[in-house]
Amino acid sequence: MDENARGTVSPEVITPLGHDVYQIDTQMAGYEGITAGYLIRSERPCLVETGTAPSAPVVRDALTALGVGPAELETVVVTHIHLDHAGGVGDIARMFPQAQVVVHERGARHLADPSRLMASARMVYGDELDDLFGELAATPPSGSAPSSAPAWWTSAAGGGWRAITPPAMPAITSA
């Protein structure tokens, strides 16, 4: 970890979990301990979950403090499209343009065009949506859109969407 960069991040934000895995408190809605992302620091650093849109700068600063800059983050995995887990993926994708975004095919359509998801969330949360979750920015594919075949989908700058089939599908990924 870059100790100089760590000075710009609250010590409560980053928790080492061992084996080069770090919990990053996303400080959802300004509170500690509600949601977290996880950095797997390796030759190909991977962020699992991004937190909300307003959390993206917190996550970016934590990644920087952990020595992962805009050109180093390889992968962002979004396990499902709830706004507390994936609301910041569009912002993180722009902050880390080399990172490949991995998402279940049912969630990929919401990342490419979050308008329906955001309209539905606004009906539930009203004006509090902005403070709680912010606005999910689109993570557009640069090629063809995902099909309905069961798979996880990946998107990378200039790479379009492509399917990868995992050995098992967690039920929570249904969007």
Side-chain angles (χ1 to χ4, degrees):
M1 179 182 328
D2 180 348
E3 293 302 324
N4 293 330
R6 178 77 186 248
T8 63
V9 176
S10 170
E12 296 82 29
V13 171
I14 300 170
T15 304
L17 300 177
H19 305 284
D20 270 343
V21 177
Y22 296 85
Q23 176 181 295
I24 300 170
D25 187 329
T26 65
Q27 298 185 333
M28 181 176 153
Y31 296 99
E32 295 177 1
I34 296 177
T35 60
Y38 298 88
L39 173 66
I40 302 167
R41 197 166 62 178
S42 65
E43 288 182 27
R44 298 186 62 201
C46 174
L47 175 65
V48 180
E49 309 293 30
T50 64
T52 65
S55 297
V58 173
V59 173
R60 177 202 57 216
D61 293 349
L63 291 172
T64 299
L66 289 164
V68 179
E72 286 90 35
L73 187 64
E74 291 276 336
T75 309
V76 177
V77 176
V78 178
T79 63
H80 60 289
I81 307 300
H82 291 169
L83 294 175
D84 57 335
H85 291 260
V89 69
D91 298 304
I92 292 292
R94 282 166 184 71
M95 293 172 183
F96 297 87
Q98 300 306 311
Q100 181 179 51
V101 175
V102 179
V103 63
H104 184 269
E105 60 94 10
R106 291 183 180 168
R109 63 189 167 109
H110 295 296
L111 297 188
D113 179 7
S115 60
R116 283 184 51 198
L117 176 66
M118 293 307 300
S120 177
R122 190 155 305 279
M123 286 191 298
V124 173
Y125 293 101
D127 291 339
E128 292 189 32
L129 177 70
D130 299 322
D131 291 332
L132 291 172
F133 305 109
E135 187 76 23
L136 172 59
T139 308
S142 57
S144 60
S147 72
S148 60
W152 288 74
W153 288 84
T154 65
S155 175
W161 291 103
R162 69 180 174 87
I164 54 174
T165 305
M169 294 297 223
I172 196 166
T173 59
S174 298

